[in-house]
Amino acid sequence: MKHDIVIIGGGPAGLAAAEAARESGAQDVLILEREPELGGILNQCIHSGFGLHTFKEELTGPEYAARFIEKAEQLEIPHWLSTTVVDLSRQGDSLFVTCVSRERGLQVVEAGAVVLAMGCRERPRGALNIPGTRPAGIFSAGTAQRLVNLEGYLPGREVVILGSGDIGLIMARRMTLEGAKVKCVAELMPYSGGLKRNIVQCLDDYGIPLKLSHTVIDIQGKERVTGVTIAQVDEHMKPIPGTEEQIPCDTLLLSVGLIPENELSKAVGVELSPVTNGPKVNESLETSIPGVFACGNVLHVHDLVDYVSEEAEQAGRHAAAFVAAGGREQAAEELPVKPEGAARYTVPVTISPQRMEDQVVIRFRVGRNIRKGVVKVYADDKLLYSRKRPVMAPGEMEQVVFQKAWLAGGETVIRVVAEEEEAQ
Amino acid sequence: MEQYDVIVVGAGVVGSGVARELARRKGRFLVVERAPDVCEGTSKANSAIIHAGFDAEPGTMKAKMNVKGNRMMDQLSEELDIPFKRVGAFVVCFAKEELPKLQELYDRGVKNGVTGMRLLTGEEARALEPNLSEEVEGALLAETSGIVCPFELTLGMAESASKNGVEFSFDTEVTGLERQGEDWVLHTSKGDLEARAVVNAAGVYADWLHNLVCEKKLHITPRRGEYCLLDRTAGGHVSRTVFQLPGKYGKGVLVSPTVHGNLLLGPTAKDIEEKEDTATTAAGLAEVLEKSALGVKNIPARQVITSFSGLRAHEDGDDFVLGESAPGFFDAAGIESPGLTSAPAIGEYLAELIGEKLGLPENPDFDPIRKGVPKLKEMEPEQRAEMIRENPAYGQIVCRCEEVSQGEILDAIHGILGAKTLDGVKRRTRAGMGRCQAGFCSPRVMDLLSKELGLDLTQVRKSGNQAQIVLEKTRGEDQA
């Protein structure tokens, strides 16, 4: 069995990629989705705030997903549901996707191109090595969200949340609305990893304290959580003796980071960035393996789904072009894109002046809070772009629309700099 | 009052080992366990090593049972369908002055009947195990050392026992024991039971049970050990178990691959008072990471997916207490390391004593074969495809990290001693043991447990009775 383009994942990234590929002329697109429905994690995000950029209106997660699902149905894009991809491999120039499902058993699908759109997973307790007992009542925020929103069950009544990622903030509000008491949100860093609007709308509006530079240093309870101990941390993130505070609670929610889910990417040999934990991609969102594209949270964790959709459309278009051209267009030059100053990474990591379209969106995040900042783009030492940013925060993605017209030829590196204005 | 020939107290690896060996004889046998599942105490949290047997003093029960248990393991893994790998082990030392101690271990091993040992220089050892630290001066290589899954070993023996007629009563706590004529009356949370013989395999509580009825008292100190488990991507960091010779840096910790492809670091050793305190500590986990780095270099500590601690039942006499301590009362007490390795041998030893004492005839129908839950992920594609054709539920993946299918989870729930809790499913199938640590699959496994066992979701537990996962229904048609 062969398909021109196989999209792994039917969440917001996979759907937008599939639709863009189809609209760019690819006829034979197949979506593989492990859940029984399309839509991915949006299905459990019943709060509003999605789609402000894409649709200029405030939608819930399922509503946002529905727009893309309806379109996929209009375009009659085939999708296999409840189908889990268990291997991705390459023999010569051919790509093979191995998947299993109840309906079709084990299938090996040959693909002209593959779009990776598997999303991300939450970091678990173990990754933080939080000491204490191992009782029931410790959930990652997304798991609790599923239990509340999809299953209709309350995972706890007295809650402490560790980590101020967006899901943690959203769940602070959700648990409060369901009648639970959220005692505090502790955040290891001196700043929140979530969107400003979520801190205001989910914590401040409900009087839930956000304790920055705090972490959980002990968990109590044999069978079910009975309490946690939090403490303030110093600049090396080590707990400060004497600042311990024991908080009785029956539940600990963890919102301590998201990890792009790249086990399949690793299986096929895609090169990953140690900063984003996602594939290194070029201007076409193509990975180190020709014909394998990536978009959405598997590539780098996004703040807004609108940007996932936008990025995925590009990946879908480029995958269609790859299949139509019968391979990757050779380019004489690949300019590395380097993050500098507070910029932690860039997507993409290379831009080919020959291959690039008129514009390429460069996305990145900063590693610290910046007030009165500026983003500059240089080709070598030549300033191509400079724009003030009043505020930049680690929880929010930044972007620069890079113009082909900026390049005169002969450049060796593109530098993306984020810093304070006075730094210059 | 229900009457049995033998009641075994405790469904850990030792109790299960005794139960399986008793099943080779005719009689009415019962295992009582206070937890809802097998392997809920000391047996579940340890180093998962099948020791070669050079460690224990020659002539001790520890030495005898260790070497014998090690030799039984190949056949046992075959019969019980459980993973076991004879990967070999190194004991490494970090100073020239310590080399004689390696020689001592070697000599002790020879006395205990251990084969396949060699003394190596640091270079020779590093040639075999490239990630050994540059500081390693010398090493004892023990080829017969192996790794096993402690849970599957325990469950395998228990299910084999059950299949051959041994009864199991879970959620049953022993509250007292009394002699009545020639027999024993065991008081439990589920009522009184009568037996001609009682086996004490009560782990860290074995001293309590023993002291109820025996003149010579025992004293067990729970010795807590903390561990870190690393992701599968780190599993190949060493190909053998690496122990450190106690010495220059105190008592070391081990670094070992696991049968499931993870990397295990630990344990620390701290004597504690409370018999249930399995909390980990910041200091303990830091010690594990620090000490493991002495013997093995470049351990990817960022790949830690979970940490845990276990209790070893250390008896003051420093040896296993095995045998008939009062008429018809058989001890398997003080079973600390190498207890996991020794359990099958202890089972054989005690069942022999009990069989003779009670005059139990051989059970001609004993079937040594037991099948575990199939592991689709480990199968060749054709075999996997065939399995899914036969049972489509094997094609529905529930745990994505460990690729565990709905079919495997249903098999675990409906097994001979089926899983009743989230942890029970996890230990039988590995659903929830992977890098996301059950974030994705736990609501789905809870649904399956609730449907298959006819429980409301609020009754689904993580492990113990109080380990409720969701507390109440928030909406839906059932809501008043």
Side-chain angles (χ1 to χ4, degrees):
Chain A
M1 191 185 320
K2 184 165 178 176
H3 291 277
D4 283 348
I5 301 179
V6 173
I7 311 237
I8 306 179
L15 286 166
E19 288 158 17
R22 172 61 69 84
E23 287 177 330
S24 310
Q27 286 311 303
D28 183 13
V29 180
L30 172 67
I31 300 175
L32 303 178
E33 167 55 45
R34 56 192 162 198
E35 291 294 315
E37 296 107 30
L38 292 170
I41 206 70
L42 287 173
N43 290 330
Q44 68 180 54
C45 301
I46 63 170
H47 54 282
S48 63
F50 300 90
L52 283 167
H53 294 261
T54 314
F55 301 111
K56 309 291 176 231
E57 53 183 314
E58 204 167 344
L59 305 173
T60 64
E63 285 170 339
Y64 185 94
R67 304 240 169 151
F68 286 86
I69 295 169
E70 279 159 24
K71 190 167 170 194
E73 277 161 6
Q74 279 163 18
L75 293 170
E76 292 176 352
I77 298 174
H79 45 272
W80 296 357
L81 300 177
S82 300
T83 301
T84 305
V85 176
V86 296
D87 192 34
L88 177 58
S89 63
R90 183 161 75 137
Q91 286 163 29
D93 284 342
S94 308
L95 295 162
F96 296 92
V97 182
T98 307
C99 57
V100 297
S101 68
R102 188 180 269 277
E103 203 181 330
R104 294 182 181 81
L106 183 140
Q107 296 272 349
V108 181
V109 182
E110 190 180 347
V114 167
V115 179
L116 305 171
M118 292 89 78
C120 58
R121 63 167 179 266
E122 298 179 276
R123 275 178 87 203
R125 169 194 181 179
L128 309 175
N129 246 348
I130 306 174
T133 53
R134 291 151 46 82
I138 304 169
F139 303 89
S140 57
T143 306
Q145 187 178 48
R146 182 188 167 92
L147 289 169
V148 175
N149 293 352
L150 295 187
E151 314 271 341
Y153 283 87
L154 192 65
R157 297 189 184 95
E158 305 216 307
V159 185
V160 169
I161 299 178
L162 175 61
S164 60
D166 286 312
I167 315 171
L169 301 175
I170 294 285
M171 282 312 291
R173 176 173 65 184
R174 171 59 50 201
M175 294 295 284
T176 306
L177 294 175
E178 296 291 348
K181 168 79 185 154
V182 178
K183 298 196 160 177
C184 71
V185 175
E187 167 62 57
L188 179 69
M189 306 301 283
Y191 51 81
S192 163
L195 292 168
K196 180 72 186 161
R197 74 171 197 218
N198 282 336
I199 294 171
V200 174
Q201 294 171 8
C202 300
L203 300 187
D204 298 354
D205 288 359
Y206 297 88
I208 299 167
L210 172 61
K211 291 174 174 276
L212 296 174
S213 298
H214 275 74
T215 193
V216 173
I217 58 162
D218 190 36
I219 299 172
Q220 297 105 30
K222 178 151 176 60
E223 297 198 344
R224 176 84 197 189
V225 174
T226 56
V228 302
T229 303
I230 65 169
Q232 202 181 330
V233 297
D234 62 20
E235 64 273 26
H236 306 294
M237 292 178 220
K238 296 279 176 234
I240 302 171
T243 64
E244 300 86 359
E245 182 189 352
Q246 202 274 341
I247 306 177
C249 60
D250 58 24
T251 303
L252 174 65
L253 297 191
L254 300 174
S255 177
V256 290
L258 298 169
I259 304 168
E261 195 143 79
N262 276 292
E263 277 61 41
L264 292 171
S265 323
K266 285 183 207 163
V268 73
V270 162
E271 233 179 278
L272 299 183
S273 151
V275 181
T276 59
N277 291 309
K280 293 182 175 175
V281 291
N282 66 18
E283 74 296 321
S284 308
L285 300 174
E286 192 180 16
T287 68
S288 60
I289 301 219
V292 177
F293 297 80
C295 55
N297 283 349
V298 80
L299 177 55
H300 58 137
V301 175
H302 290 59
D303 54 350
L304 297 182
V305 70
D306 303 77
Y307 300 136
V308 168
S309 304
E310 198 182 293
E311 182 178 272
E313 281 168 24
Q314 297 167 37
R317 268 193 298 114
H318 291 300
F322 177 92
V323 170
R328 184 192 290 190
E329 191 191 326
Q330 288 301 315
E333 285 175 280
E334 308 259 2
L335 297 178
V337 184
K338 299 273 188 217
E340 289 183 16
R344 293 178 57 231
Y345 69 86
T346 62
V347 169
V349 297
T350 60
I351 289 179
S352 156
Q354 287 85 18
R355 232 170 12 221
M356 81 172 279
E357 299 172 325
D358 289 342
Q359 301 182 339
V360 167
V361 179
I362 300 177
R363 295 192 161 85
F364 64 96
R365 284 192 194 235
V366 292
R368 56 185 158 84
N369 274 316
I370 292 184
R371 295 206 169 273
K372 290 196 179 171
V374 61
V375 173
K376 293 177 187 167
V377 179
Y378 296 87
D380 300 303
D381 290 329
K382 183 180 160 202
L383 182 66
L384 304 177
Y385 166 97
S386 173
R387 183 150 308 164
K388 289 181 185 175
R389 297 278 206 282
V391 177
M392 287 187 276
E396 320 219 347
M397 247 168 51
E398 298 292 333
Q399 69 173 53
V400 169
V401 181
F402 188 91
Q403 307 288 333
K404 188 168 190 166
W406 292 349
L407 295 172
E411 293 87 356
T412 62
V413 62
I414 295 164
R415 295 158 48 213
V416 177
V417 188
E419 59 191 7
E420 280 81 4
E421 259 187 283
E422 58 264 33
Q424 42 203 300
Chain B
M1 197 169 13
E2 289 290 316
Q3 295 185 327
Y4 293 88
D5 289 303
V6 186
I7 295 178
V8 179
V9 179
V13 70
V14 173
S16 300
V18 173
R20 181 177 193 251
E21 290 303 320
L22 282 173
R24 294 181 192 271
R25 293 161 180 81
K26 280 188 170 173
R28 191 166 182 219
F29 310 122
L30 172 72
V31 179
V32 293
E33 167 58 52
R34 70 189 178 118
D37 203 350
V38 300
C39 202
E40 286 270 17
T42 291
S43 307
K44 82 173 173 199
N46 51 66
S47 306
I49 306 293
I50 296 304
H51 292 275
F54 50 75
D55 222 14
E57 285 298 330
T60 59
M61 276 294 178
K62 279 186 180 173
K64 284 180 209 158
M65 295 297 144
N66 183 343
V67 173
K68 187 160 178 217
N70 182 301
R71 288 190 191 136
M72 291 168 75
M73 209 50 73
D74 300 274
Q75 191 186 339
L76 210 53
S77 86
E78 191 90 349
E79 288 177 350
L80 301 179
D81 188 22
I82 57 169
F84 165 59
K85 289 179 188 163
R86 229 176 249 291
V87 292
F90 279 119
V91 183
V92 300
C93 73
F94 304 110
K96 287 220 161 51
E97 326 53 284
E98 290 173 356
L99 290 173
K101 286 196 196 151
L102 284 183
Q103 180 70 46
E104 253 174 60
L105 277 187
Y106 178 92
D107 295 342
R108 207 188 294 165
V110 170
K111 275 189 198 145
N112 288 345
V114 180
T115 56
M117 291 184 297
R118 273 193 290 158
L119 286 166
L120 304 175
T121 64
E123 282 85 77
E124 287 168 337
R126 272 186 292 276
L128 290 172
E129 195 68 70
N131 280 325
L132 281 186
S133 129
E134 302 301 325
E135 282 205 54
V136 169
E137 280 288 339
L140 170 66
L141 171 63
E143 282 165 352
T144 59
S145 183
I147 51 178
V148 73
C149 169
F151 182 79
E152 289 184 81
L153 174 61
T154 306
L155 182 70
M157 294 194 296
E159 287 200 338
S160 172
S162 175
K163 188 180 162 186
N164 286 292
V166 177
E167 298 167 47
F168 283 77
S169 180
F170 293 103
D171 293 308
T172 306
E173 186 163 359
V174 173
T175 53
L177 179 64
E178 276 179 286
R179 191 76 175 153
Q180 206 165 79
E182 289 291 285
D183 293 335
W184 291 104
V185 174
L186 192 69
H187 305 300
T188 80
S189 55
K190 287 191 174 168
D192 288 353
L193 302 163
E194 199 177 309
R196 298 167 66 200
V198 167
V199 177
N200 175 17
V204 289
Y205 289 98
D207 54 349
W208 171 80
L209 189 60
H210 170 101
N211 294 345
L212 286 180
V213 296
C214 299
E215 282 294 306
K216 188 170 172 274
K217 302 301 178 195
L218 294 182
H219 179 243
I220 287 172
T221 309
R223 186 165 284 174
R224 187 171 63 196
E226 301 188 31
Y227 294 87
C228 292
L229 187 73
L230 278 66
D231 186 67
R232 281 175 187 272
T233 49
H237 198 70
V238 291
S239 52
R240 299 168 187 78
T241 305
V242 180
F243 298 97
Q244 295 165 15
L245 187 75
K248 195 171 165 185
Y249 299 110
K251 186 169 163 29
V253 301
L254 65 80
V255 177
S256 182
T258 74
V259 285
H260 300 295
N262 301 86
L263 192 73
L264 182 67
L265 317 177
T268 55
K270 186 173 164 58
D271 290 349
I272 57 169
E273 290 300 314
E274 219 250 289
K275 297 209 176 204
E276 311 260 328
D277 186 2
T278 52
T280 54
T281 61
L285 297 177
E287 184 187 337
V288 168
L289 293 175
E290 191 185 316
K291 283 193 171 171
S292 55
L294 295 172
V296 176
K297 62 189 174 195
N298 304 328
I299 293 174
R302 285 183 58 194
Q303 303 281 343
V304 171
I305 56 171
T306 189
S307 50
F308 59 90
S309 81
L311 302 175
R312 291 98 97 183
H314 176 73
E315 209 282 316
D316 289 358
D318 211 20
D319 196 8
F320 297 161
V321 180
L322 298 176
E324 192 173 7
S325 303
F329 181 86
F330 293 83
D331 269 316
I335 312 298
E336 58 184 332
S337 180
L340 186 69
T341 315
S342 304
I346 293 172
E348 206 175 85
Y349 177 75
L350 286 183
E352 185 73 39
L353 290 181
I354 296 164
E356 247 169 62
K357 166 98 181 181
L358 303 186
L360 301 173
E362 191 193 329
N363 171 10
D365 301 325
F366 179 79
D367 176 6
I369 303 301
R370 169 261 180 191
K371 274 302 200 200
V373 175
K375 295 188 174 66
L376 277 282
K377 181 185 167 68
E378 289 166 20
M379 291 178 184
E380 293 299 317
E382 295 92 65
Q383 193 192 0
R384 191 171 182 172
E386 179 57 34
M387 292 284 288
I388 301 173
R389 266 196 295 280
E390 277 171 24
N391 178 3
Y394 289 134
Q396 174 77 52
I397 300 292
V398 174
C399 164
R400 48 172 90 158
C401 302
E402 295 291 316
E403 251 174 55
V404 181
S405 67
Q406 191 187 72
E408 290 160 80
I409 292 170
L410 294 177
D411 287 352
I413 295 172
H414 298 299
I416 297 174
L417 296 173
K420 286 165 284 185
T421 63
L422 211 54
D423 279 358
V425 169
K426 176 173 87 173
R427 295 188 193 123
R428 283 166 179 79
T429 64
R430 298 188 56 73
M433 264 200 202
R435 46 183 74 89
C436 94
Q437 290 285 296
F440 279 114
C441 68
S442 56
R444 293 151 178 93
V445 176
M446 286 165 66
D447 280 342
L448 289 172
L449 280 165
S450 132
K451 284 200 187 86
E452 299 301 312
L453 301 177
L455 302 169
D456 185 76
L457 220 50
T458 55
Q459 295 170 301
V460 174
R461 297 172 293 168
K462 179 174 182 287
S463 54
N465 285 317
Q466 309 304 315
Q468 218 185 341
I469 301 162
V470 290
L471 304 184
E472 61 191 76
K473 201 163 170 59
T474 58
R475 61 177 69 77
E477 62 277 18
D478 299 338
Q479 189 86 345

